[in-house]
Amino acid sequence: MELSQTIIQSIFLLLNLLISRTRGLKLVRLDVPAIADIFSPVTLKCEYNLEDMNLYSVKWYKDGFEFFRYMPDYDPRSQALKSSGITVDLQKSDMNQVTLINLQFNHTGNYKCEVSTEAPDFKTVAQHANMTVMAYPTEDPKVEGVLSTYSLGDYVYANCTSGKSSPPAILTWHINGAKPDTWSWDNRRGWMEKDSQGLYTRTVGLQFQILSSHFTSNGGGLMPKMEIRCTSTIGNSVRHKAVYPTLVRALTSNSLAQKRLTGSAGVLRPPISIALVLVTSFRT
Ligand SMILES: *[C@@H]1O[C@H](CO)[C@@H](O)[C@H](O)[C@H]1NC(C)=O
Ligand SMILES: *[C@@H]1O[C@H](CO)[C@@H](O)[C@H](O)[C@H]1NC(C)=O
Ligand SMILES: *[C@@H]1O[C@H](CO)[C@@H](O)[C@H](O)[C@H]1NC(C)=O
C-alpha cells in the first residue's frame, strides 16, 4: 500500500516537472535563408508556440537594430521602421513572417526574431541566424569560340563568360560530362570585370586538341556529337550552357589554317576533289 502510494506520488511529481518544463513560450523554428538573391524578395519566418499566453509583440532585428514589429493590440498591427534601411512588404508580413524587398548587399547580416507575451507572464524568446545577400546571374553563361565542326587533331579554343553576379560566379568546364585535365584550362581563375553596381562578370578559357576519344561512346561506338559544357555556380544558383560540335573527316578550314602555318605547299592549293566544309561558329 505504502509502496504504491510512493509510486503514485513519484509519477505525479514527474508529471508536474514535465508540465512545468514544457509550459511556457517556445520559439519553434526560425527560417532565415542562408543566401538571399538581391533581385528577389525574401521571406523570413518565425514559428512559435504561445502555450495559452497572449502575444504582446513579435520584433525583427538586423544586427541588433529593429526593422519590423507586429503588435496585435496596436493599430496598425504591423510597423516597419524605415530608418533601418530595410524595405518591408507589409502586405506579406505578419505575426509569423516578414518579407524584405529591394534588397541591398549591405542587408547581409544577422537576423533575429524576438517574441514576447503579455502580462502577467512577460516571457520573451528569441533566435537569430545569418543571411548573405548575393546577386544571382539572370542569364546562362555564354560559350564563345567553339566551332560547329572539327577534325581529329584540331584545337578547340573556347571562352565561357558568366552572367553578372556578386560574388563572382565559379565557372567549370565539362567535356562529355567529365572535367577536363587542368592543363587544358586556359586560365583557371579567369578574367574578371566589375560594373558600377558591384556586379562581376567572369571569363574562363579552355583549350584542348580533338582526339578520337572525344567522339567515342562508352560502348566504343562513334558518337556524332561531343558536348562542351560550361557551368556557372553561385550560392544555390547553377546555370549551364552546352554546345555540341560534330566531327568531320573532310578538311576543315581550321585544320587547313594549321596546315598553312606548317607551310605545306600542297595544302595552299588543295585539289578540287577535296570537299571543304563550311565551318561556322556557335552563336550562344
Ligand atoms: C546600403 O547600400 C545602399 C545601396 O548601395 C546605400 O544607399 C545605403 O546607404 C547603405 N546602407 C548602409 C547602412 O550602409
Ligand atoms: C554569423 O556571422 C558572423 C559575422 O560574420 C559570424 O561571426 C558568425 O559566426 C556567424 N554565425 C553563424 C551561425 O554562422
Ligand atoms: C577569350 O578571351 C580572351 C580575353 O578576352 C581573348 O583574348 C581570346 O581571344 C578569347 N578566346 C576566344 C576563343 O574567344
Side-chain angles (χ1 to χ4, degrees):
M1 199 66 178
E2 250 180 46
L3 185 66
S4 64
Q5 224 166 13
T6 316
I7 289 173
I8 288 167
Q9 267 176 358
S10 310
I11 290 174
F12 189 74
L13 259 173
L14 197 70
L15 272 175
N16 230 339
L17 193 72
L18 275 175
I19 288 166
S20 68
R21 278 191 63 177
T22 53
R23 220 191 101 78
L25 178 63
K26 270 200 306 270
L27 206 154
V28 180
R29 198 167 66 99
L30 175 67
D31 185 1
V32 171
I35 296 167
D37 180 13
I38 198 164
F39 301 122
S40 311
V42 61
T43 299
L44 319 182
K45 291 184 178 160
C46 186
E47 265 178 55
Y48 46 87
N49 196 334
L50 292 170
E51 298 273 350
D52 299 332
M53 291 181 274
N54 290 324
L55 179 67
Y56 174 67
S57 68
V58 179
K59 293 180 178 180
W60 285 88
Y61 299 81
K62 189 226 161 204
D63 295 330
F65 292 99
E66 188 184 343
F67 64 92
F68 175 75
R69 61 171 69 170
Y70 178 93
M71 297 174 89
D73 295 339
Y74 283 67
D75 186 24
R77 292 176 169 189
S78 295
Q79 293 170 49
L81 285 83
K82 295 230 164 54
S83 56
S84 64
I86 292 175
T87 313
V88 172
D89 182 349
L90 287 174
Q91 302 302 314
K92 289 179 180 156
S93 303
D94 58 24
M95 60 197 294
N96 286 115
Q97 67 178 47
V98 60
T99 298
L100 316 184
I101 51 174
N102 302 331
L103 285 181
Q104 308 290 336
F105 289 122
N106 57 22
H107 292 159
T108 291
N110 190 260
Y111 287 81
K112 181 168 83 170
C113 169
E114 184 190 84
V115 182
S116 305
T117 59
E118 278 187 332
D121 304 286
F122 297 117
K123 292 246 165 67
T124 294
V125 285
Q127 265 182 35
H128 54 85
N130 285 347
M131 184 174 84
T132 304
V133 178
M134 294 184 174
Y136 288 163
T138 54
E139 52 193 40
D140 290 336
K142 286 189 173 66
V143 172
E144 287 167 314
V146 179
L147 305 180
S148 58
T149 54
Y150 289 100
S151 294
L152 296 182
D154 283 350
Y155 277 89
V156 177
Y157 299 100
N159 279 337
C160 177
T161 303
S162 68
K164 290 180 175 187
S165 70
S166 178
I170 293 162
L171 294 176
T172 50
W173 290 105
H174 284 89
I175 301 173
N176 291 334
K179 279 198 175 173
D181 296 331
T182 29
W183 53 261
S184 60
W185 289 61
D186 205 0
N187 184 334
R188 183 175 271 274
R189 298 203 55 197
W191 307 272
M192 220 147 61
E193 277 174 27
K194 190 179 181 181
D195 75 3
S196 56
Q197 289 176 286
L199 303 180
Y200 297 90
T201 310
R202 177 175 272 170
T203 302
V204 293
L206 175 73
Q207 60 179 75
F208 66 96
Q209 194 173 18
I210 294 287
L211 306 172
S212 59
S213 59
H214 290 129
F215 290 94
T216 309
S217 70
N218 284 340
L222 183 76
M223 293 192 303
K225 291 175 177 185
M226 70 175 295
E227 185 193 71
I228 300 173
R229 175 184 292 262
C230 178
T231 304
S232 86
T233 308
I234 152 170
N236 304 324
S237 156
V238 180
R239 283 174 173 268
H240 303 278
K241 176 68 199 185
V243 291
Y244 300 90
T246 55
L247 183 67
V248 281
R249 292 240 151 74
L251 208 55
T252 66
S253 63
N254 192 346
S255 57
L256 181 65
Q258 274 167 24
K259 290 204 174 118
R260 270 184 184 145
L261 280 175
T262 63
S264 161
V267 182
L268 279 171
R269 296 166 71 197
I272 227 84
S273 59
I274 292 181
L276 279 173
V277 176
L278 187 66
V279 177
T280 52
S281 190
F282 282 103
R283 298 241 222 108
T284 58

